[in-house]
C-alpha cells in the first residue's frame, strides 16, 4: 500500500481503473464496506484508493472540527488489511493555499436538511470532492447513502460540471442494534450510545405510516428523549430533496439529532405509495 501526504505525488500513475473512496478517517466497518465495493468496481488489477482528510472548509462549528477523531495509524492499518492500494492523507495546508479564492457553489439541493442548518457545508464538500477527483482522476468513486444529501449533491455536481467520474452509491451499514455507523459514534457517552438506536428504529417504524403528517409525528415521538435534541426531521422527495414530496414519488424520512455536541444523521426510504 502506498501512502502519500503530498497531493502532487498522485501524479505518479496507478494501474487503472482507479476507484476512490473519499473519507474523513476514523474508519469503521461502514467505510470498509465501501472499500470492498471499490475493489469490486476496480477489479483485482485496478487501484483502490482512499483519501483520509478532515476537510476544514466543510465544518460549520469549530468545536466539531477540533473534536473530530484522527486515529491515522489505526486507519492506515485498516486500509492495509482491507487491501487498499493507495492512501492520500494530506495536511490541510497541502490542500488549500492560504489565498485560495475559488469554491464550488450548489444552489438548490443544499438548501434543505443538513444544508439548512449547516451553511456552506455542502459547498465545502463539493469543493474538496472536486479537488480529490482532479488529483486522483478516478474512473469511479463510492459514496454512502447514510449521507444521502451529500450523495445527491455530488451526483448533481458531476452532472452539471461534466465531471468524468461514475458515482457508485452504497447502502447504510449499521451496528447490530440498528445505529448507523459513524465516526462520531465514538464521541457518544455510554448512556447516549445506548439511547441512539432509537433514531433508526423510529424512522423505520414511522415510514410505514399511511400519511406524511402521521409519519413525521410518529418519528418525532419515537426519537425524542431527554438525552437528545432533534436538529431536523423531515419527509423530502428522494430526488429533489424538497419538502412535501408528491405521494406518487419516492421519498425519504431524514433526521439529524444532537446528543450533546455530537450530531448524528440517518434516513429511511419511503415507498412511493405512501402519503
Ligand atoms: P465520512 O468519513 O463520514 O466523511 O464518510 C466517508 C464516506 O463513507 C461517505 O461516502 C459516507 O457516506 C460513507 N459512510 C460513512 N458511514 C457510513 C455507513 N454507516 N454506511 C455506509 N456508508 C457510510
Amino acid at each position: 500500500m502506498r501512502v502519500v501526504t503530498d497531493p502532487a505525488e498522485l501524479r505518479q500513475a496507478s494501474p487503472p481503473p482507479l476507484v476512490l473512496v473519499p473519507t474523513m478517517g476514523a474508519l469503521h466497518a461502514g467505510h470498509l464496506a465501501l472499500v470492498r465495493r471499490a475493489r469490486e468496481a476496480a477489479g483485482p488489477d485496478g487501484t483502490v484508493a482512499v483519501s483520509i482528510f478532515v476537510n476544514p472548509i466543510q465544518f460549520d462549528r469549530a468545536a466539531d472540527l477540533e473534536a473530530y477523531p484522527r486515529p491515522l495509524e489505526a486507519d492506515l492499518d485498516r486500509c492495509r488489511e482491507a487491501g487498499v492500494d493507495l492512501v492520500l492523507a494530506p495536511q490541510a495546508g497541502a490542500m488549500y493555499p492560504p489565498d485560495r479564492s475559488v469554491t464550488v457553489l450548489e444552489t438548490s439541493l443544499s438548501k434543505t436538511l443538513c444544508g439548512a442548518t449547516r451553511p456552506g457545508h455542502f459547498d465545502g464538500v463539493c469543493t474538496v470532492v472536486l479537488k480529490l477527483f482532479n488529483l486522483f482522476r478516478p474512473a469511479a468513486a463510492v459514496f454512502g447513502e447514510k449521507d444521502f444529501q451529500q450523495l445527491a449533491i455530488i451526483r448533481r455536481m458531476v452532472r452539471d460540471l461534466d465531471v468524468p467520474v461514475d458515482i457508485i452509491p452504497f447502502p447504510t451499514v449499521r451496528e447490530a442494534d440498528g445505529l448507523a455507523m459513524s465516526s462520531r459514534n465514538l464521541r457518544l457517552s455510554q448512556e447516549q450510545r445506548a439511547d441512539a438506536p432509537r433514531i433508526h428504529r423510529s424512522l423505520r417504524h414511522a415510514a410505514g405510516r399511511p400519511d406524511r403528517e402521521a409519519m413525521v409525528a410518529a418519528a418525532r415521538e419515537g426519537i425524542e428523549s431527554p438525552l437528545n435534541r432533534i436538529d431536523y426531521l423531515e419527509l423530502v422527495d428522494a430526488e429533489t430533496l424538497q419538502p412535501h414530496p408528491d405521494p406518487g414519488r419516492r421519498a425519504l424520512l431524514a433526521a439529524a439529532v444532537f446528543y450533546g455536541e455530537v450530531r448524528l444523521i440517518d434516513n429511511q426510504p419511503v415507498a412511493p405509495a405512501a402519503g
Side-chain angles (χ1 to χ4, degrees), residues 4-9 53 56 88-98 131 135:
V4 306
T5 54
D6 179 358
E9 286 181 49
F53 180 54
L88 170 69
Q91 295 296 316
M95 290 292 279
Y96 294 117
K131 282 167 71 71
L135 289 167

Side-chain angles (χ1 to χ4, degrees), residues 22-25 28 30-31 34 68 142-147 150 170-173 180-183:
T23 81
M24 297 205 299
H28 51 64
H31 295 115
L34 268 60
Y68 205 88
V142 188
F143 289 87
E145 288 175 351
K146 181 180 83 88
D147 301 274
Q150 169 172 283
F170 197 85
T172 302
V173 180
M181 288 189 183
S182 164
S183 308

Side-chain angles (χ1 to χ4, degrees), residues 28-65:
H28 51 64
H31 295 115
L32 299 179
L34 268 60
V35 166
R36 285 195 295 277
R37 180 68 188 86
R39 173 58 68 196
E40 255 174 55
D45 303 324
T47 301
V48 171
V50 170
S51 59
I52 299 177
F53 180 54
V54 183
N55 177 33
I57 69 165
Q58 73 184 66
F59 282 79
D60 50 308
R61 294 179 302 131
D64 191 28
L65 172 61

Side-chain angles (χ1 to χ4, degrees), residues 144-192:
E145 288 175 351
K146 181 180 83 88
D147 301 274
F148 198 91
Q149 189 173 19
Q150 169 172 283
L151 173 61
I153 290 171
I154 298 294
R155 281 182 153 146
R156 177 66 63 91
M157 174 178 79
V158 161
R159 187 198 75 180
D160 286 1
L161 302 183
D162 301 303
V163 183
V165 178
D166 279 341
I167 303 302
I168 303 175
F170 197 85
T172 302
V173 180
R174 300 182 179 281
E175 303 284 358
D177 58 14
L179 178 65
M181 288 189 183
S182 164
S183 308
R184 292 191 169 87
N185 294 350
L186 295 171
R187 291 170 53 203
L188 296 173
S189 70
Q190 232 177 346
E191 212 188 0
Q192 290 169 332

